[in-house]
Amino acid sequence: MQPPAGSQVSRVPAQRTPSEQLPPAPATPAPQPPRRRMRTVLTVVAGVLALLCLGGVATALVWYNRASTPDRSAPDVVVDNYLRAFLVDRNDPRADLFTCESGSQLEAIRALRTDLLEREQRFDTTITVSWGSLAVQKQGEVAAVEVTLIISARIDGMNQSDRQPWQFDTRLADGWQVCGGARAD
């Protein structure tokens, strides 16, 4: 159809409603930090933590091994450790680590400890045992160790002590071991 003659037609583009408008151009996204760098940092941190944990475990095992292994390096050392475990700490399993496996003659020292325990109960006190230097007479794989035990207690408000000379026989077998002990009057 043609417009009538003499009429003017204006060619104005039709207005679009907002819903008909073109969508806005997409905005450029914010740059994201490189994920590879973050992964590398996390991997390095995790690796360092793992090494620190393994080092800590290894150190703890070495310290535990040193603390729990009995020192039986010399006759006087083994006697000192045995006396401490048996008379001071009264720890029989620990004391057994320092004695010969078979043929040990330690009845006299056992009798001494039994007597001390009975006296503690009878007099309601605590008896302590200490000692000074240990003298070693070594002959090959056997050694005699002489020591003076100092037995002290406070009874009826008075300090009392007794000095007893003892001799312990030791033998070298997988480290030094206490095999016998007797009072050396």
Side-chain angles (χ1 to χ4, degrees):
M1 253 176 94
Q2 293 258 354
S7 71
Q8 290 187 340
V9 178
S10 94
R11 301 250 180 212
V12 176
Q15 293 281 337
R16 295 187 178 164
T17 62
S19 62
E20 294 176 343
Q21 288 182 354
L22 296 174
T28 57
Q32 296 209 357
R35 289 186 179 252
R36 289 185 186 186
R37 183 175 296 164
M38 185 61 77
R39 283 184 190 159
T40 303
V41 168
L42 289 176
T43 302
V44 168
V45 169
V48 168
L49 287 175
L51 287 175
L52 286 174
C53 288
L54 287 175
V57 168
T59 302
L61 287 174
V62 168
W63 283 348
Y64 174 78
N65 191 26
R66 285 184 184 168
S68 63
T69 302
D71 185 3
R72 298 183 299 197
S73 58
D76 55 341
V77 172
V78 77
V79 170
D80 183 74
N81 286 330
Y82 172 73
L83 291 173
R84 186 169 327 290
F86 191 71
L87 293 177
V88 176
D89 300 335
R90 299 176 183 170
N91 184 340
D92 290 345
R94 178 81 176 155
D96 289 344
L97 296 173
F98 302 104
T99 61
C100 292
E101 291 180 12
S102 62
S104 62
Q105 299 171 352
L106 297 167
E107 295 80 21
I109 195 77
R110 288 186 191 113
L112 172 67
R113 187 175 81 171
T114 301
D115 181 51
L116 296 177
L117 293 172
E118 289 172 357
R119 288 180 189 212
E120 282 183 341
Q121 288 182 343
R122 185 175 346 140
F123 296 111
D124 191 32
T125 189
T126 301
I127 298 175
T128 60
V129 180
S130 60
W131 52 93
S133 61
L134 292 92
V136 178
Q137 297 171 353
K138 185 176 171 187
Q139 295 177 347
E141 293 186 353
V142 296
V145 179
E146 295 175 353
V147 61
T148 299
L149 298 179
I150 304 164
I151 302 167
S152 305
R154 184 170 180 88
I155 300 175
D156 295 331
M158 295 177 51
N159 290 332
Q160 298 182 4
S161 67
D162 182 27
R163 299 171 82 71
Q164 297 182 4
W166 281 75
Q167 179 175 323
F168 293 90
D169 300 320
T170 63
R171 182 176 40 194
L172 182 60
D174 190 26
W176 287 94
Q177 300 173 347
V178 178
C179 297
R183 193 167 173 173
D185 287 325

